[in-house]
Amino acid sequence: MPVVQCLSNGDELLPGTSFADRYAMVVSGQSLDAMTAAERAIVNVPAWIGRLMMLRNLLVRPFGLKTGHADLPGQQKRVGMFPVISEAPARVVLGLDDRHLDFRLVVEVKELGEGRQEVGATTLVRPHNRFGRIYLAVVMPFHRIIVPAMLARAADARG
């Protein structure tokens, strides 16, 4: 089961970060890199997460927020709908900048030895205005359920 850890150094990847959290779990018997872990977590999500995202998109589209591929630059590499900002074997940074807030999702893989790896997912958020802070407060209960569920998928050898 993923565990949550709070972070205090989010300014390194997203200056002005006002929210950061990190979920991590130990995986045994696999040899994951960060991109594989990110793809397993984000692509082909369970139906219940897909339905929540569809509801989110319906609710925020009238406010002009980004809700899918059509709202994103065409040539940028993505994992799911999230543009890849940087990529290395041990860390992938995904993110979006929008009118109400900017966010980054950092997926990291750390070798622990003896065939074990720690897979972590860090979320960083920088709200720009009152709507961004309200949006963050509304989605936070869902975030706390969805991110650990998606991280557990990254550990699933069936992908």
Side-chain angles (χ1 to χ4, degrees):
M1 183 66 171
V3 296
V4 67
Q5 303 165 344
C6 291
L7 298 176
S8 59
N9 61 351
D11 273 352
E12 173 187 320
L13 292 171
L14 186 63
T17 294
S18 64
F19 171 82
D21 71 0
R22 182 175 190 271
Y23 292 85
M25 63 186 308
V26 174
V27 175
S28 296
Q30 298 186 52
S31 182
L32 295 173
D33 61 27
M35 182 57 78
T36 300
E39 289 170 343
R40 284 184 182 181
I42 295 170
V43 178
N44 298 319
V45 296
W48 66 271
I49 294 175
R51 287 191 295 274
L52 281 175
M53 293 305 293
M54 287 174 51
L55 177 61
R56 176 252 181 221
N57 291 344
L58 283 171
L59 294 174
V60 302
R61 183 165 280 294
F63 298 100
L65 304 183
K66 294 175 182 168
T67 60
H69 294 290
D71 297 332
L72 303 172
Q75 300 302 319
Q76 192 169 6
K77 182 176 180 178
R78 297 186 189 119
V79 175
M81 78 165 275
F82 304 116
V84 175
I85 294 172
S86 68
E87 178 183 356
R91 180 171 86 171
V92 172
V93 180
L94 311 172
L96 284 171
D97 295 342
D98 215 331
R99 292 188 331 200
H100 67 303
L101 60 76
D102 301 338
F103 93 94
R104 301 293 180 266
L105 174 61
V106 183
V107 178
E108 297 174 292
V109 176
K110 178 181 174 184
E111 296 296 330
L112 300 176
E114 299 178 7
R116 299 176 330 135
Q117 295 175 298
E118 179 186 85
V119 179
T122 302
T123 304
L124 306 167
V125 182
R126 175 179 56 202
H128 294 297
N129 50 42
R130 184 184 323 215
F131 182 71
R133 290 185 292 281
I134 291 168
Y135 176 84
L136 183 59
V138 169
V139 301
M140 193 50 51
F142 302 101
H143 170 84
R144 290 186 176 119
I145 297 167
I146 291 171
V147 174
M150 292 176 77
L151 185 57
R153 290 179 56 80
D156 187 349
R158 295 170 292 182

